Amino acid sequence: MKQILAFFLTFISLLVWNCASVEKVEPRKIEKIMKVHAGGGLRLRISPNIEAKKIDLVPDGDVVETFGEIGEVEIQDGKQGRWVKVKWKKKDGYVFGGFLEFINVK
């Protein structure tokens, strides 16, 4: 009986400790709404790197929500910029910022 009680108390303690250690995820704050200006679409990638796996192609003229720039300034296809964390159609990823254009949303 003592073993069952000890097991039960251990189980409850682990359960409570595990629930208490779950991190709260704060909602991200959108920095800017930007339009793709790439003349053929812009590749959405899983990480901020030209060699990273492609998630999708964001069509030219579509808008993305941005969540900050990452890394050093680079030049890609004659455009200068940094990689930008974005959300497009419920997909999160990175695009090269040299092909983004700020739009004023009121």
Side-chain angles (χ1 to χ4, degrees):
M1 181 67 174
K2 288 182 181 180
Q3 289 177 334
I4 294 173
L5 182 58
F7 174 77
F8 181 72
L9 290 174
T10 302
F11 177 75
I12 295 298
S13 297
L14 288 173
L15 184 63
V16 169
W17 178 77
N18 200 20
C19 290
S21 67
V22 173
E23 291 183 34
K24 293 182 181 178
V25 176
E26 297 294 324
R28 297 179 297 180
K29 182 179 179 195
I30 298 170
E31 286 190 356
K32 298 176 188 170
I33 304 293
M34 301 187 86
K35 183 172 21 173
V36 172
H37 189 65
L42 186 57
R43 290 177 186 89
L44 182 66
R45 298 181 183 273
I46 63 169
S47 63
N49 184 312
I50 194 75
E51 300 296 323
K53 181 180 175 185
K54 298 168 196 141
I55 298 170
D56 211 333
L57 183 68
V58 182
D60 206 39
D62 271 19
V63 295
V64 295
E65 299 171 344
T66 69
F67 299 95
E69 295 181 324
I70 297 162
E72 299 296 320
V73 174
E74 299 178 23
I75 297 176
Q76 301 287 340
D77 292 330
K79 298 284 189 169
Q80 184 175 335
R82 289 186 169 93
W83 288 91
V84 181
K85 175 78 173 165
V86 300
K87 183 169 189 163
W88 174 74
K89 292 190 175 184
K90 299 183 182 180
K91 295 178 182 179
D92 290 320
Y94 296 87
V95 296
F96 186 68
F99 296 100
L100 295 176
E101 174 182 304
F102 177 73
I103 58 174
N104 193 5
V105 179
K106 294 185 179 190

